[in-house]
Amino acid sequence: MVDATTFVTELEAKHLETFRQLVAAYVTGLSKESMSVTDALKLELRAVVEAVEVAALWLPDSDQLAMKMALATRCGDCAQHFAVIVDRLGALGVAADSFDPRHGGYSKLFAFFRSPQTTEERTAAGFLTLGSLTLTRFEAVAAFCDEKGDPETAALYRGLLSDDERRHVDAGRRLLVAVAETEESQARARRSTYRTVEVVGEVQDPALLRKFLLRSLKKT
């Protein structure tokens, strides 16, 4: 067994290429379905809502005070992100009352995140793995927005969204180092990471993304 710091460093490095492949597939899916910048922002809103709900779900039964505060911070940041993204959509001509990101249904990723119980599982999956993947996705979507002629939205992805996500990843890294001190805890973190990567790959099917967007439209 390696020490906790080495374990976390190796765990992060192991999936970097997979993250790039998953993000490339995601952006390809956006193009394949002829999605616009506003479509990408709507998909982001669903991710933000699910992030709030996961953090709220995990917070009450988390034993470590640092974990509770990290989850509370995530809830607050995501609430701010929701408002900022809604404002950006409004500036692009999409009324806030024209859709509801909850109407498309919860993703399979959200369903998976209901199962982790330990701090090492939750930090490895929700903070470190998904957070690192999200940072990679933000940069790719920013480039997508640039290509669509929308530097303002690209700046949002590279600025506020990325800055906050990076802080959450850093917090998750510290939390995982603090608890991944046994073979059992490292094994749980490793399994949680692998499963997160698998599920993200499954939920990025372009047809599923388009289906969500259609379902999220409010009936008039």
Side-chain angles (χ1 to χ4, degrees), residues 131-146:
S132 297
L133 202 159
T134 297
L135 283 172
T136 306
R137 176 169 57 81
F138 281 170
E139 178 54 40
V141 175
F144 171 83
C145 294
D146 280 334

Side-chain angles (χ1 to χ4, degrees), residues 62-93:
S62 291
D63 294 330
Q64 288 84 0
L65 182 59
M67 181 65 165
K68 284 183 178 291
M69 293 302 100
L71 291 168
T73 300
R74 187 158 185 80
C75 282
D77 285 347
C78 286
Q80 181 190 16
H81 294 176
F82 187 92
V84 169
I85 293 170
V86 167
D87 285 347
R88 183 60 195 152
L89 281 167
L92 293 172

Side-chain angles (χ1 to χ4, degrees), residues 41 43-58 69-87 101 110 113 126-127 130-131 134 137-138 156 160-169:
L41 287 170
L43 292 171
E44 201 62 51
L45 278 185
R46 177 173 69 163
V48 169
V49 169
E50 291 193 356
V52 170
E53 296 211 30
V54 168
L57 179 69
W58 287 353
M69 293 302 100
L71 291 168
T73 300
R74 187 158 185 80
C75 282
D77 285 347
C78 286
Q80 181 190 16
H81 294 176
F82 187 92
V84 169
I85 293 170
V86 167
D87 285 347
F110 177 82
F113 277 157
F127 283 87
L130 185 61
T134 297
R137 176 169 57 81
F138 281 170
L156 174 61
L160 175 68
L161 299 184
S162 289
D163 291 344
D164 286 346
E165 194 64 44
R166 195 170 290 108
R167 285 193 297 104
H168 296 311
V169 171

